Amino acid sequence: MKRMNILIPDVLSEKADIEAEIFGSDADIIIGKATSHKDITDEIWMNCEGILAWDVIDYNAELISKLKKCKVIVRVGVGFNNVDLMAAKKKKIVVCNVPDYGTGEVADHAIAFLLSLCRGLPEYTRRLMNREWNRSNPMVERLDKKVMGIIGLGRIGTATAMRAKAFGMKIIFYDPYIKDGVDKALNFTRVDTLQEIAEFSDVISIHTPLTSETQGMIDEKFFGLVKKEPVIINTARGPIIDLSALEKAMREGIVKSAGLDVLPVEPSDDTQQLIVDWENGEAWIRDRLIITPHCGFYSQAALLELRQKAAREILRVINGKRARNCVNNYYDID
Ligand code: NAD
């Protein structure tokens, strides 16, 4: 039987035992530990049939032209902006990603923000560190019957909404791109405008991709429409919220609190005043903001799932089956 040549060029430095279990004994797996494509010989690039690509190397047209036997590149992750999709398609290479390895984790993270903020945990914790034993806490809210507004009812948005529903919350959502009937199936209420999300929600959780349409979508105009001093949660992408507008809304008390796993600039720097004030423990923002380092997807189980799914996708394509998550229109007829 012909042996498979699989290349894992970057990031992975340990043994590829997870991948080896999926490929079986017929595969030769090369671990490149490369930080640039030049760290790997042209011969290796030329002979590999499948590439498990992490995010360090740029798969530009020049690199893709070196690939002579490659059938598939799988991005071990969600984003694929480091791969020239069309150059790959022209070389008859399928490009795939793994879009769903951390869905449950990100939804849990959004709910962790919600529970933490609405149970006042930052404030209690801070006070107790000063031995201040006191129950009264302006951050605490009863969740039952509160309205959760979901922006983007895809995988993570739905998983978050289902969790919030289990806490007795009412779910409304804005997502112009999903088919009618999802609202009926899930017993959520669909709204047709962002304005309705702003007006009716006690908690607003963002789950859209970053696109030209969603960049800066949550801006001063949006905050001008909110009515219920909502909690804002963003586990999607930082630039979807205009951070200066959020700062203003929080200063004015229009927004009660916020949980941010993602920021326009990551890691944060001195340009993001809201974060600087929070870092400095300024009284106006203290206890009202939780920030985490873009780790919503993270768990050991999610990383295992990611590597397994990426390897299975390679195997599928090399065995002549259709990829599940092709991102370069390989199967479309031009
Ligand atoms: P998905 O593609 O399943 O869902 C995205 C939804 O957003 C879709 O239903 C789409 O119709 C909707 N949408 C697109 N444009 C919209 C718009 N202008 N207004 C309203 N809805 C819009 O994606 P997903 O797997 O649920 O992931 C959602 C986002 O979460 C990702 O795009 C990514 O940015 C982010 N993410 C973050 C982490 C993390 O660690 N924090 C991990 C994975 C994904």
Side-chain angles (χ1 to χ4, degrees):
M1 193 167 176
K2 197 177 146 299
R3 295 184 68 76
M4 267 185 287
N5 268 320
I6 307 293
L7 176 60
I8 309 180
D10 55 342
V11 175
L12 196 74
S13 56
E14 71 227 46
K15 265 177 65 189
D17 46 356
I18 293 167
E19 293 76 4
E21 208 177 311
I22 287 163
F23 295 129
S25 53
D26 299 327
D28 290 320
I29 304 175
I30 297 174
I31 301 175
K33 293 184 198 167
T35 50
S36 144
H37 73 82
K38 297 191 175 93
D39 297 339
I40 293 174
T41 64
D42 282 1
E43 197 190 342
I44 291 177
W45 286 118
M46 209 165 71
N47 287 318
C48 66
E49 291 163 89
I51 299 176
L52 284 166
W54 291 74
D55 58 352
V56 170
I57 290 177
D58 198 13
Y59 293 82
N60 52 27
E62 185 203 339
L63 174 54
I64 286 172
S65 72
K66 291 179 194 257
L67 309 174
K68 301 291 177 217
K69 297 189 181 164
C70 187
K71 297 193 176 90
V72 52
I73 299 173
V74 176
R75 258 290 291 124
V76 191
V78 181
F80 42 83
N81 52 331
N82 59 329
V83 186
D84 185 330
L85 301 181
M86 282 309 109
K89 187 175 177 185
K90 276 189 203 141
K91 285 265 304 177
K92 297 200 168 17
I93 298 171
V94 188
V95 182
C96 311
N97 72 343
V98 183
D100 60 341
Y101 64 97
T103 301
E105 276 80 359
V106 182
D108 289 350
H109 207 82
I111 296 296
F113 280 140
L114 168 73
L115 292 179
S116 190
L117 291 165
C118 293
R119 291 303 308 159
L121 300 193
E123 181 150 350
Y124 283 132
T125 308
R126 177 181 55 79
R127 286 206 226 130
L128 281 174
M129 288 175 110
N130 297 319
R131 296 220 178 134
E132 202 185 316
W133 191 272
N134 174 4
R135 280 189 195 103
S136 108
N137 185 332
M139 301 304 291
V140 175
E141 299 271 4
R142 175 184 278 192
L143 289 184
D144 190 46
K145 311 253 180 334
K146 286 258 184 325
V147 176
M148 166 72 118
I150 298 275
I151 305 177
L153 196 78
R155 284 172 287 248
I156 297 170
T158 305
T160 304
M162 298 293 282
R163 284 158 171 74
K165 200 172 174 207
F167 287 104
M169 299 184 79
K170 293 185 177 162
I171 310 298
I172 65 172
F173 73 89
Y174 169 71
D175 188 331
Y177 299 107
I178 59 168
K179 289 184 182 144
D180 282 346
V182 175
D183 47 338
K184 301 267 170 55
L186 296 168
N187 196 15
F188 300 162
T189 302
R190 180 173 206 149
V191 297
D192 293 327
T193 59
L194 267 182
Q195 177 168 351
E196 289 162 277
I197 292 285
E199 272 184 33
F200 301 125
S201 305
D202 299 289
V203 180
I204 296 170
S205 196
I206 301 162
H207 301 286
T208 64
L210 178 63
T211 63
S212 54
E213 202 182 14
T214 63
Q215 178 155 8
M217 176 169 74
I218 307 302
D219 57 3
E220 205 168 335
K221 181 171 163 234
F222 179 88
F223 290 123
L225 298 166
V226 304
K227 293 232 162 76
K228 296 163 95 180
E229 294 180 19
V231 177
I232 304 283
I233 295 170
N234 189 9
T235 55
R237 285 292 179 265
I240 297 170
I241 297 184
D242 174 341
L243 216 57
S244 309
L246 177 63
E247 183 196 341
K248 184 165 178 276
M250 291 187 82
R251 275 189 191 276
E252 291 172 1
I254 291 168
V255 165
K256 183 170 185 180
S257 61
L260 307 175
D261 185 44
V262 286
L263 296 172
V265 178
E266 294 176 6
S268 190
D269 61 15
D270 288 344
T271 61
Q272 308 189 119
Q273 196 55 46
L274 172 67
I275 314 303
V276 173
D277 283 8
W278 175 80
E279 286 164 346
N280 292 336
E282 293 207 8
W284 77 270
I285 191 68
R286 200 175 59 186
D287 309 326
R288 296 172 63 201
L289 183 59
I290 303 178
I291 303 171
T292 52
H294 201 148
C295 59
F297 69 89
Y298 176 78
S299 75
Q300 286 300 326
L303 290 183
L304 173 67
E305 184 180 345
L306 169 65
R307 286 174 61 182
Q308 288 172 330
K309 284 190 162 163
R312 286 196 197 109
E313 187 80 315
I314 290 252
L315 198 58
R316 218 172 274 125
V317 178
I318 289 184
N319 286 338
K321 301 209 174 83
R322 196 183 167 102
R324 287 172 88 115
N325 294 297
C326 172
V327 292
N328 70 333
N329 301 325
Y330 178 86
Y331 300 102
D332 295 359
I333 301 161
D334 294 315

